[in-house]
Amino acid sequence: MSKRRVQSVDGEKELKEVSKQDDTDIPRGKGNSSLRPTQKPGSGASRQDVILGTIMGITLPLSLLAMWYITIPLLGYCTVSLLGAETVETLFYVKEDMMSYLTSECPLWIAAKERAYLENRSDQEIRRVTNITQREFIEIVKQGEPIVISDALRDWESFGLFNCEYFMDKYPEAEYFDWQGQKQLTLGNITHREGFKGMDCASGYMDMNWESNDKYVKEWLSKMKLPYFYPEDTIMESAFNYIKGNKSPPMTGFLGVPGTGVSPHIDETCENFMTVQLSGVKNWSLSWPVREGDKLQWSKPLVVTLYPGEALMWYVSMRHHTEVIQDCSLSFSFTLKHPPPKDYYERLIQDFKRVEKTERDNLYIDTGVADIDFIDTCNLFETQGNVYIT
């Protein structure tokens, strides 16, 4: 029973008890209602629900497969047809660069296009050797084979002593060029860079020709020495005889923390390169020009990890990139004229002569080389029975 107010004959309101069954004010439809009552919880699914669920269970995975293998490729094909493959590829790289810019802790230092080039790496590996003789070393260099000498620094006082913290504490007035801030800083101010906390994203190089560094070079080199596998009687104008009076040592120092690096490029010089890793761990990639018919292209990059105490030999016109992957990296690169990569260099020049000059120019332009004709200045020469490259 429920109570409700109704209007009496004399206009006054009064309460009457009415039965729900007798409530004639509630609208009634004719016959039974077409609305099904809601199922009680736990009453089980109807047969129609089971059939519908089974159909969805079968068709949903099939729909996803069709979208992945048919719809998306078809959309991609149509997009490429309308815009062109090169435009679509460019848009993809722009999108990847934007994502890296928004999510990376450090400023973008390698473009998506260059990252894609590195991922298409060679299956070959750069050899690692130890206890190599001078004769073996000269023959390897003659072929222009990149190689890692794992015990290269076994006699160096600097190995185990030189690292980022040591340099920053002992030589605070030495300077390096900070790639992120694009300016020259003293090592003592690395942790005070504007926009960065501590060593975050620190990465740059030390030029030995700067007055701020020149006063320390002899001290640094006094703790290094010509590696045991290098023939002493053939060294010429190298960093290792700078102590004896040379003015500009052909060496460069590099410092960087994990997550930083240098994008693929080539150095416009003719000499050999020997890079020694004093602290930290760094990934390298190396590639060089190869001829396919009347076309030139870069070989698939060889990727190698360089650990403290190791040295990497590489040569003229080799495209390379570096990336610090563990601890703060301190390394030095030396340019050396002997022994020359004679066979490699002669093959390179012959390949260049067999294609149009525009092929070589375009290959170098792709790496951002300022002087696309630098290779024309390189020469092999012989003196006192030894061959050099310069």
Side-chain angles (χ1 to χ4, degrees):
M1 299 292 292
S2 64
K3 293 184 178 181
R4 65 173 176 171
R5 243 174 243 286
V6 296
Q7 190 75 27
S8 64
V9 176
D10 59 3
E12 294 183 356
K13 294 180 180 178
E14 61 178 6
L15 288 175
K16 289 187 177 181
E17 287 189 353
V18 295
S19 169
K20 286 185 179 180
Q21 289 81 3
D22 297 329
D23 192 349
T24 56
D25 290 341
I26 299 175
R28 304 288 184 182
K30 294 183 179 179
N32 294 330
S33 171
S34 61
L35 299 177
R36 293 177 183 164
T38 304
Q39 284 191 355
K40 295 179 182 179
S43 62
S46 67
R47 182 181 178 187
Q48 290 89 340
D49 292 337
V50 172
I51 294 173
L52 181 62
T54 303
I55 293 172
M56 290 184 65
I58 295 172
T59 57
L60 183 59
L62 291 176
S63 300
L64 292 174
L65 287 172
M67 182 179 69
W68 185 259
Y69 288 104
I70 299 174
T71 307
I72 293 179
L74 186 60
L75 286 172
Y77 173 79
C78 293
T79 304
V80 170
S81 299
L82 290 171
L83 300 178
E86 189 173 339
T87 301
V88 172
E89 184 179 59
T90 300
L91 291 174
F92 172 78
Y93 291 145
V94 169
K95 185 265 292 183
E96 291 294 301
D97 287 340
M98 288 297 297
M99 290 299 296
S100 296
Y101 175 79
L102 294 172
T103 59
S104 177
E105 295 181 0
C106 297
L108 183 66
W109 61 270
I110 183 169
K113 183 178 180 180
E114 293 169 331
R115 183 68 74 184
Y117 154 78
L118 294 175
E119 290 174 353
N120 186 28
R121 58 191 287 184
S122 171
D123 294 330
Q124 292 180 292
E125 294 184 355
I126 293 178
R127 279 202 295 158
R128 275 187 158 83
V129 298
T130 56
N131 294 316
I132 188 173
T133 67
Q134 291 183 0
R135 184 183 296 273
E136 290 170 334
F137 174 72
I138 290 173
E139 185 58 32
I140 288 170
V141 173
K142 180 183 177 184
Q143 299 299 321
E145 178 190 355
I147 193 164
V148 173
I149 300 96
S150 293
D151 59 351
L153 310 188
R154 66 187 188 187
D155 301 323
W156 285 29
E157 182 185 348
S158 58
F159 178 45
L161 175 66
F162 286 1
N163 57 41
C164 299
E165 185 177 358
Y166 178 86
F167 258 57
M168 291 164 60
D169 289 343
K170 190 168 179 61
Y171 310 107
E173 294 181 2
E175 292 185 324
Y176 97 128
F177 183 82
D178 185 71
W179 277 316
Q180 313 296 1
Q182 287 293 295
K183 62 182 179 180
Q184 213 165 303
L185 297 172
T186 62
L187 296 183
N189 281 326
I190 289 181
T191 56
H192 303 293
R193 291 165 299 135
E194 184 178 353
F196 296 98
K197 181 180 179 181
M199 290 291 288
D200 288 354
C201 306
S203 180
Y205 68 91
M206 295 177 284
D207 192 321
M208 300 302 113
N209 293 312
W210 296 338
E211 185 178 350
S212 56
N213 295 336
D214 183 66
K215 59 185 178 182
Y216 299 120
V217 174
K218 287 186 178 181
E219 183 179 345
W220 296 344
L221 283 171
S222 69
K223 294 178 172 55
M224 305 177 189
K225 61 188 298 185
L226 189 67
Y228 72 90
F229 48 84
Y230 232 98
E232 292 184 21
D233 60 339
T234 58
I235 201 68
M236 179 177 172
E237 295 182 6
S238 76
F240 299 101
N241 62 8
Y242 168 79
I243 298 176
K244 300 175 183 178
N246 283 357
K247 272 202 160 182
S248 54
M251 60 184 284
T252 306
F254 297 91
L255 182 151
V257 299
T260 64
V262 183
S263 61
H265 66 285
I266 61 175
D267 293 341
E268 299 161 46
T269 185
C270 306
E271 290 82 7
N272 300 335
F273 296 90
M274 182 179 71
T275 298
V276 299
Q277 192 71 26
L278 287 161
S279 70
V281 182
K282 186 184 287 187
N283 275 347
W284 276 75
S285 74
L286 293 170
S287 60
W288 49 89
V290 293
R291 182 175 61 87
E292 297 289 343
D294 59 352
K295 300 292 182 182
L296 284 175
Q297 62 185 25
W298 293 107
S299 65
K300 286 188 175 183
L302 275 66
V303 178
V304 68
T305 301
L306 205 61
Y307 296 92
E310 294 186 320
L312 172 67
M313 289 296 302
W314 48 289
Y315 313 100
V316 58
S317 195
M318 284 196 172
R319 189 180 188 187
H320 57 285
H321 110 288
T322 64
E323 185 168 357
V324 182
I325 61 173
Q326 182 180 323
D327 301 328
C328 184
S329 169
L330 178 66
S331 61
F332 284 88
S333 285
F334 301 87
T335 55
L336 305 165
K337 300 178 185 297
H338 182 88
K342 183 175 181 293
D343 292 354
Y344 160 77
Y345 175 73
E346 289 177 345
R347 288 194 306 269
L348 184 68
I349 297 303
Q350 286 301 315
D351 282 344
F352 285 168
K353 288 180 178 178
R354 290 171 180 167
V355 299
E356 295 291 334
K357 186 176 182 301
T358 53
E359 275 294 307
R360 187 189 74 181
D361 292 351
N362 290 335
L363 190 76
Y364 285 153
I365 288 172
D366 189 46
T367 65
V369 172
D371 180 9
I372 59 176
D373 296 322
F374 84 93
I375 197 71
D376 294 331
T377 66
C378 300
N379 288 290
L380 295 171
F381 71 95
E382 185 174 346
T383 180
Q384 298 180 346
N386 294 314
V387 181
Y388 300 87
I389 186 168
T390 186

Coordinates of all heavy atoms in Angstrom, one line a residue, residues 71-136:
T71 N 44.8 -3.7 -45.6 CA 44.3 -2.3 -45.5 C 45.5 -1.3 -45.4 O 45.7 -0.3 -46.2 CB 43.3 -2.0 -44.4 OG1 42.3 -2.9 -44.5 CG2 42.8 -0.6 -44.5
I72 N 46.4 -1.5 -44.4 CA 47.5 -0.6 -44.2 C 48.5 -0.6 -45.3 O 48.9 0.4 -45.8 CB 48.2 -1.0 -42.8 CG1 47.3 -0.7 -41.7 CG2 49.5 -0.2 -42.7 CD1 47.9 -1.0 -40.3
P73 N 48.9 -1.8 -45.9 CA 49.7 -1.8 -47.1 C 49.1 -1.1 -48.3 O 49.8 -0.4 -49.0 CB 50.0 -3.3 -47.4 CG 49.8 -4.0 -46.0 CD 48.7 -3.2 -45.4
L74 N 47.8 -1.3 -48.4 CA 47.1 -0.6 -49.5 C 47.1 0.9 -49.4 O 47.3 1.6 -50.3 CB 45.6 -1.2 -49.6 CG 44.8 -0.7 -50.8 CD1 45.5 -1.1 -52.1 CD2 43.4 -1.2 -50.7
L75 N 46.9 1.3 -48.1 CA 46.9 2.8 -47.9 C 48.3 3.3 -48.1 O 48.5 4.4 -48.7 CB 46.5 3.1 -46.4 CG 45.0 3.0 -46.1 CD1 44.8 3.1 -44.6 CD2 44.2 4.0 -46.9
G76 N 49.3 2.5 -47.7 CA 50.7 2.9 -47.9 C 51.0 3.0 -49.4 O 51.7 3.9 -49.9
Y77 N 50.5 2.0 -50.2 CA 50.8 2.0 -51.6 C 50.1 3.2 -52.3 O 50.7 3.9 -53.1 CB 50.2 0.7 -52.2 CG 50.3 0.7 -53.7 CD1 51.4 0.4 -54.4 CD2 49.1 1.0 -54.5 CE1 51.5 0.4 -55.8 CE2 49.1 1.0 -55.9 CZ 50.3 0.7 -56.5 OH 50.4 0.7 -57.9
C78 N 48.9 3.5 -51.8 CA 48.2 4.7 -52.4 C 48.9 6.0 -52.1 O 49.0 6.9 -52.9 CB 46.7 4.7 -51.9 SG 45.7 3.3 -52.5
T79 N 49.4 6.1 -50.8 CA 50.1 7.3 -50.4 C 51.4 7.5 -51.2 O 51.7 8.6 -51.7 CB 50.4 7.2 -48.9 OG1 49.2 7.0 -48.1 CG2 51.1 8.5 -48.4
V80 N 52.1 6.4 -51.4 CA 53.4 6.4 -52.2 C 53.1 6.8 -53.6 O 53.8 7.6 -54.2 CB 54.1 5.1 -52.1 CG1 55.3 5.1 -53.1 CG2 54.6 4.9 -50.7
S81 N 52.0 6.2 -54.2 CA 51.6 6.5 -55.5 C 51.2 8.0 -55.7 O 51.6 8.6 -56.7 CB 50.4 5.7 -56.0 OG 50.8 4.3 -55.9
L82 N 50.6 8.6 -54.7 CA 50.2 10.0 -54.8 C 51.3 11.0 -54.5 O 51.5 11.9 -55.3 CB 49.0 10.2 -53.8 CG 47.7 9.6 -54.2 CD1 46.7 9.7 -53.0 CD2 47.1 10.2 -55.4
L83 N 52.1 10.7 -53.5 CA 53.1 11.6 -53.1 C 54.5 11.3 -53.6 O 55.4 12.2 -53.7 CB 53.2 11.7 -51.6 CG 51.9 12.1 -50.9 CD1 52.0 12.1 -49.3 CD2 51.4 13.5 -51.3
G84 N 54.7 10.0 -53.9 CA 56.1 9.6 -54.3 C 56.8 9.0 -53.1 O 56.7 9.5 -52.0
A85 N 57.7 8.0 -53.4 CA 58.4 7.3 -52.3 C 59.3 8.2 -51.6 O 59.4 8.1 -50.3 CB 59.1 6.1 -52.9
E86 N 60.0 9.1 -52.3 CA 60.9 10.0 -51.6 C 60.2 10.9 -50.6 O 60.7 11.1 -49.5 CB 61.7 10.8 -52.7 CG 62.9 11.5 -52.1 CD 63.7 12.2 -53.2 OE1 63.7 11.7 -54.4 OE2 64.4 13.1 -52.9
T87 N 59.1 11.4 -51.1 CA 58.3 12.4 -50.2 C 57.8 11.6 -48.9 O 57.9 12.2 -47.8 CB 57.2 13.0 -50.9 OG1 57.6 13.7 -52.1 CG2 56.4 13.9 -50.0
V88 N 57.3 10.4 -49.1 CA 56.8 9.6 -48.0 C 58.0 9.3 -47.0 O 57.8 9.4 -45.8 CB 56.1 8.3 -48.5 CG1 55.8 7.4 -47.3 CG2 54.9 8.7 -49.3
E89 N 59.1 8.9 -47.6 CA 60.3 8.6 -46.7 C 60.7 9.9 -46.0 O 61.0 9.8 -44.8 CB 61.4 8.1 -47.6 CG 62.6 7.7 -46.8 CD 63.8 7.2 -47.7 OE1 64.2 8.0 -48.6 OE2 64.2 6.0 -47.6
T90 N 60.7 11.0 -46.6 CA 61.1 12.3 -45.9 C 60.1 12.6 -44.8 O 60.5 13.0 -43.7 CB 61.1 13.4 -47.0 OG1 62.1 13.1 -48.0 CG2 61.5 14.7 -46.3
L91 N 58.8 12.4 -45.1 CA 57.8 12.7 -44.0 C 58.0 11.8 -42.8 O 57.8 12.2 -41.7 CB 56.4 12.5 -44.6 CG 56.0 13.6 -45.6 CD1 54.6 13.2 -46.2 CD2 55.9 15.0 -45.0
F92 N 58.3 10.5 -43.1 CA 58.6 9.5 -42.1 C 59.7 10.0 -41.2 O 59.7 10.0 -40.0 CB 58.8 8.2 -42.6 CG 59.3 7.1 -41.6 CD1 58.4 6.6 -40.8 CD2 60.6 6.8 -41.5 CE1 58.8 5.6 -39.8 CE2 61.0 5.9 -40.6 CZ 60.1 5.3 -39.7
Y93 N 60.8 10.4 -41.8 CA 62.0 10.8 -41.1 C 61.7 12.1 -40.3 O 62.2 12.2 -39.2 CB 63.2 11.1 -42.0 CG 63.7 9.8 -42.7 CD1 64.2 9.8 -44.0 CD2 63.8 8.6 -41.9 CE1 64.8 8.7 -44.5 CE2 64.3 7.5 -42.5 CZ 64.8 7.5 -43.8 OH 65.3 6.4 -44.4
V94 N 60.9 13.0 -40.8 CA 60.5 14.2 -40.1 C 59.7 13.9 -38.9 O 60.0 14.4 -37.8 CB 59.7 15.2 -41.0 CG1 59.1 16.3 -40.2 CG2 60.6 15.7 -42.1
K95 N 58.8 12.9 -39.0 CA 58.0 12.5 -37.9 C 58.9 11.8 -36.8 O 58.8 12.1 -35.6 CB 57.0 11.5 -38.3 CG 56.0 11.0 -37.3 CD 56.4 9.7 -36.6 CE 56.3 8.5 -37.5 NZ 56.6 7.3 -36.8
E96 N 59.9 11.0 -37.2 CA 60.8 10.4 -36.3 C 61.7 11.4 -35.6 O 61.9 11.3 -34.3 CB 61.7 9.4 -37.0 CG 61.0 8.1 -37.5 CD 60.5 7.3 -36.3 OE1 61.3 6.8 -35.5 OE2 59.2 7.1 -36.2
D97 N 62.1 12.4 -36.3 CA 62.9 13.5 -35.7 C 62.1 14.3 -34.7 O 62.7 14.6 -33.6 CB 63.5 14.4 -36.8 CG 64.6 13.8 -37.6 OD1 65.2 12.8 -37.1 OD2 64.9 14.2 -38.7
M98 N 60.9 14.5 -35.0 CA 60.0 15.3 -34.1 C 59.8 14.5 -32.8 O 59.9 15.0 -31.7 CB 58.7 15.6 -34.7 CG 58.7 16.7 -35.8 SD 59.3 18.3 -35.1 CE 57.9 18.6 -34.0
M99 N 59.6 13.2 -32.9 CA 59.4 12.3 -31.7 C 60.7 12.3 -30.9 O 60.6 12.4 -29.6 CB 59.0 10.9 -32.2 CG 57.6 10.8 -32.8 SD 56.3 11.3 -31.6 CE 56.6 10.0 -30.3
S100 N 61.8 12.2 -31.5 CA 63.1 12.2 -30.8 C 63.3 13.5 -30.1 O 63.8 13.6 -28.9 CB 64.3 11.9 -31.7 OG 64.2 10.6 -32.3
Y101 N 63.0 14.6 -30.8 CA 63.1 15.9 -30.2 C 62.3 16.1 -28.9 O 62.7 16.7 -28.0 CB 62.7 17.0 -31.2 CG 62.8 18.4 -30.7 CD1 63.9 19.1 -30.6 CD2 61.6 19.1 -30.3 CE1 64.0 20.4 -30.1 CE2 61.6 20.3 -29.8 CZ 62.8 21.0 -29.7 OH 62.8 22.3 -29.2
L102 N 61.1 15.5 -29.0 CA 60.1 15.7 -27.9 C 60.4 14.7 -26.7 O 60.1 15.0 -25.6 CB 58.7 15.4 -28.4 CG 58.1 16.5 -29.3 CD1 56.8 16.0 -29.9 CD2 58.0 17.9 -28.7
T103 N 61.0 13.6 -27.0 CA 61.2 12.6 -26.0 C 62.7 12.4 -25.5 O 62.9 11.9 -24.4 CB 60.7 11.2 -26.5 OG1 61.5 10.8 -27.6 CG2 59.3 11.2 -26.8
S104 N 63.6 12.9 -26.2 CA 65.0 12.7 -25.9 C 65.4 13.7 -24.8 O 65.0 14.8 -24.7 CB 65.9 12.9 -27.1 OG 67.3 12.8 -26.7
E105 N 66.3 13.2 -23.8 CA 66.8 14.0 -22.8 C 67.8 15.0 -23.3 O 68.0 16.1 -22.7 CB 67.4 13.2 -21.7 CG 66.4 12.3 -20.9 CD 67.1 11.4 -19.9 OE1 68.3 11.6 -19.7 OE2 66.4 10.7 -19.2
C106 N 68.5 14.7 -24.3 CA 69.6 15.5 -24.9 C 69.1 16.1 -26.2 O 68.3 15.5 -26.9 CB 70.9 14.8 -25.1 SG 71.6 14.2 -23.5
P107 N 69.7 17.2 -26.7 CA 69.4 17.7 -28.0 C 69.6 16.7 -29.1 O 70.5 15.8 -29.0 CB 70.3 18.9 -28.2 CG 70.6 19.3 -26.8 CD 70.6 18.1 -26.0
L108 N 68.8 16.7 -30.1 CA 68.9 15.7 -31.2 C 70.3 15.9 -31.9 O 70.7 17.0 -32.4 CB 67.8 16.0 -32.3 CG 67.8 15.0 -33.4 CD1 67.4 13.6 -33.0 CD2 66.7 15.5 -34.4
W109 N 71.1 14.8 -31.9 CA 72.4 14.9 -32.6 C 72.6 14.0 -33.8 O 73.5 14.1 -34.5 CB 73.5 14.6 -31.5 CG 73.4 13.2 -31.0 CD1 72.7 12.8 -29.8 CD2 74.0 12.0 -31.4 NE1 72.9 11.5 -29.6 CE2 73.6 10.9 -30.6 CE3 74.8 11.7 -32.6 CZ2 74.1 9.6 -30.8 CZ3 75.2 10.4 -32.7 CH2 74.8 9.3 -31.8
I110 N 71.6 13.1 -34.0 CA 71.6 12.2 -35.2 C 70.2 12.2 -35.7 O 69.2 11.9 -35.0 CB 72.2 10.8 -34.8 CG1 72.2 10.0 -36.1 CG2 71.4 10.2 -33.7 CD1 73.0 8.7 -35.9
A111 N 70.1 12.4 -37.0 CA 68.8 12.5 -37.7 C 68.3 11.1 -37.9 O 69.1 10.1 -38.0 CB 68.9 13.2 -39.0
A112 N 67.0 10.9 -38.1 CA 66.4 9.6 -38.3 C 66.9 8.9 -39.6 O 67.1 7.7 -39.7 CB 64.8 9.7 -38.4
K113 N 67.1 9.8 -40.6 CA 67.7 9.2 -41.9 C 69.0 8.6 -41.7 O 69.3 7.5 -42.2 CB 67.8 10.3 -42.9 CG 68.2 9.8 -44.3 CD 68.3 11.0 -45.3 CE 68.8 10.5 -46.7 NZ 68.8 11.6 -47.7
E114 N 69.9 9.2 -40.9 CA 71.2 8.7 -40.6 C 71.1 7.5 -39.7 O 71.9 6.5 -39.8 CB 72.1 9.8 -39.9 CG 72.4 10.9 -40.9 CD 73.0 12.1 -40.2 OE1 72.7 12.3 -39.0 OE2 73.8 12.8 -40.9
R115 N 70.2 7.5 -38.8 CA 70.0 6.3 -37.9 C 69.5 5.1 -38.7 O 70.0 4.0 -38.5 CB 68.9 6.6 -36.8 CG 68.7 5.5 -35.8 CD 69.9 5.3 -34.9 NE 70.0 6.3 -33.9 CZ 71.0 6.3 -33.1 NH1 72.0 5.4 -33.2 NH2 71.1 7.3 -32.2
A116 N 68.7 5.3 -39.7 CA 68.2 4.2 -40.6 C 69.4 3.7 -41.4 O 69.5 2.5 -41.6 CB 67.2 4.7 -41.5
Y117 N 70.3 4.6 -41.8 CA 71.5 4.1 -42.5 C 72.4 3.2 -41.6 O 72.9 2.2 -42.1 CB 72.3 5.4 -43.0 CG 73.8 5.2 -43.2 CD1 74.3 4.5 -44.3 CD2 74.7 5.6 -42.2 CE1 75.7 4.3 -44.4 CE2 76.1 5.4 -42.3 CZ 76.5 4.8 -43.5 OH 77.9 4.6 -43.6
L118 N 72.5 3.6 -40.4 CA 73.3 2.8 -39.4 C 72.7 1.4 -39.1 O 73.4 0.4 -38.9 CB 73.5 3.5 -38.1 CG 74.4 4.8 -38.2 CD1 74.4 5.5 -36.9 CD2 75.8 4.5 -38.7
E119 N 71.3 1.4 -39.1 CA 70.6 0.1 -38.8 C 70.8 -0.9 -39.9 O 70.6 -2.1 -39.7 CB 69.2 0.4 -38.5 CG 69.0 1.1 -37.2 CD 67.6 1.6 -36.9 OE1 66.7 1.4 -37.9 OE2 67.3 2.1 -35.8
N120 N 71.0 -0.4 -41.2 CA 71.2 -1.3 -42.3 C 72.7 -1.7 -42.3 O 73.4 -1.5 -43.3 CB 70.8 -0.6 -43.6 CG 70.9 -1.5 -44.8 OD1 70.7 -2.7 -44.7 ND2 71.2 -1.0 -46.0
R121 N 73.2 -2.3 -41.3 CA 74.6 -2.6 -41.1 C 75.0 -3.8 -41.8 O 74.2 -4.7 -42.1 CB 74.9 -2.7 -39.6 CG 74.1 -3.8 -38.9 CD 74.2 -3.7 -37.4 NE 75.5 -4.1 -36.9 CZ 75.8 -4.2 -35.6 NH1 74.9 -3.8 -34.7 NH2 77.0 -4.6 -35.3
S122 N 76.3 -4.0 -41.9 CA 76.9 -5.1 -42.5 C 77.0 -6.3 -41.6 O 77.0 -6.1 -40.3 CB 78.4 -4.8 -43.0 OG 79.0 -6.0 -43.4
D123 N 76.9 -7.5 -42.1 CA 77.0 -8.7 -41.3 C 78.5 -9.0 -40.9 O 78.7 -9.8 -40.0 CB 76.5 -9.9 -42.0 CG 75.0 -9.8 -42.2 OD1 74.3 -9.2 -41.4 OD2 74.5 -10.4 -43.2
Q124 N 79.4 -8.3 -41.6 CA 80.8 -8.5 -41.3 C 81.2 -7.8 -40.0 O 80.5 -6.9 -39.5 CB 81.7 -7.9 -42.4 CG 81.6 -8.7 -43.7 CD 82.5 -8.1 -44.7 OE1 82.3 -6.9 -45.2 NE2 83.6 -8.8 -45.1
E125 N 82.2 -8.3 -39.3 CA 82.7 -7.7 -38.1 C 84.1 -7.2 -38.2 O 84.9 -7.8 -39.0 CB 82.6 -8.7 -36.9 CG 81.2 -9.1 -36.6 CD 81.1 -10.0 -35.4 OE1 82.2 -10.4 -34.9 OE2 80.0 -10.3 -34.9
I126 N 84.4 -6.1 -37.6 CA 85.8 -5.6 -37.5 C 86.6 -6.5 -36.6 O 86.2 -6.8 -35.5 CB 85.8 -4.2 -37.0 CG1 85.1 -3.2 -38.1 CG2 87.3 -3.7 -36.8 CD1 85.1 -1.8 -37.7
R127 N 87.8 -7.0 -37.1 CA 88.6 -7.9 -36.4 C 89.2 -7.2 -35.1 O 89.5 -6.1 -35.1 CB 89.8 -8.4 -37.3 CG 89.4 -9.5 -38.2 CD 90.7 -10.3 -38.6 NE 91.6 -9.4 -39.4 CZ 92.9 -9.7 -39.4 NH1 93.4 -10.8 -38.8 NH2 93.7 -8.9 -40.2
R128 N 89.4 -8.1 -34.1 CA 90.1 -7.7 -32.9 C 91.4 -8.5 -32.8 O 91.3 -9.7 -33.0 CB 89.3 -7.9 -31.6 CG 88.3 -6.7 -31.3 CD 87.7 -7.0 -30.0 NE 87.2 -5.7 -29.4 CZ 86.1 -5.2 -29.7 NH1 85.3 -5.7 -30.6 NH2 85.7 -4.0 -29.2
V129 N 92.5 -7.9 -32.6 CA 93.8 -8.6 -32.5 C 94.5 -8.2 -31.2 O 94.3 -7.1 -30.7 CB 94.6 -8.4 -33.7 CG1 94.0 -8.9 -35.0 CG2 95.0 -6.9 -33.9
T130 N 95.4 -9.0 -30.8 CA 96.4 -8.7 -29.7 C 97.7 -9.3 -30.1 O 97.9 -10.1 -30.9 CB 95.9 -9.4 -28.4 OG1 95.8 -10.8 -28.6 CG2 94.6 -8.8 -27.9
N131 N 98.8 -8.8 -29.4 CA 100.1 -9.2 -29.6 C 100.5 -9.2 -31.1 O 101.1 -10.1 -31.6 CB 100.3 -10.6 -29.0 CG 100.2 -10.6 -27.5 OD1 100.8 -9.7 -26.8 ND2 99.5 -11.6 -27.0
I132 N 100.1 -8.2 -31.8 CA 100.3 -8.1 -33.3 C 101.7 -7.7 -33.5 O 102.3 -6.8 -32.8 CB 99.3 -7.2 -33.9 CG1 99.4 -7.2 -35.4 CG2 99.4 -5.8 -33.4 CD1 98.3 -6.5 -36.1
T133 N 102.4 -8.2 -34.5 CA 103.8 -7.8 -34.8 C 103.7 -6.6 -35.7 O 102.7 -6.3 -36.3 CB 104.5 -9.0 -35.6 OG1 103.9 -9.2 -36.9 CG2 104.5 -10.3 -34.8
Q134 N 104.8 -5.9 -35.9 CA 104.9 -4.8 -36.7 C 104.7 -5.1 -38.2 O 104.0 -4.4 -38.9 CB 106.3 -4.1 -36.6 CG 106.5 -3.4 -35.2 CD 107.8 -2.7 -35.1 OE1 108.6 -2.7 -36.0 NE2 108.0 -2.1 -34.0
R135 N 105.2 -6.3 -38.6 CA 105.0 -6.8 -40.0 C 103.5 -7.0 -40.3 O 103.0 -6.6 -41.3 CB 105.8 -8.0 -40.2 CG 105.7 -8.5 -41.7 CD 106.5 -9.8 -41.8 NE 108.0 -9.6 -41.6 CZ 108.8 -9.2 -42.5 NH1 108.4 -9.0 -43.8 NH2 110.1 -9.0 -42.2
E136 N 102.8 -7.7 -39.3 CA 101.4 -7.9 -39.5 C 100.6 -6.6 -39.5 O 99.7 -6.5 -40.3 CB 100.9 -8.8 -38.3 CG 101.4 -10.2 -38.4 CD 101.1 -11.0 -37.1 OE1 101.0 -10.3 -36.0 OE2 101.0 -12.2 -37.1

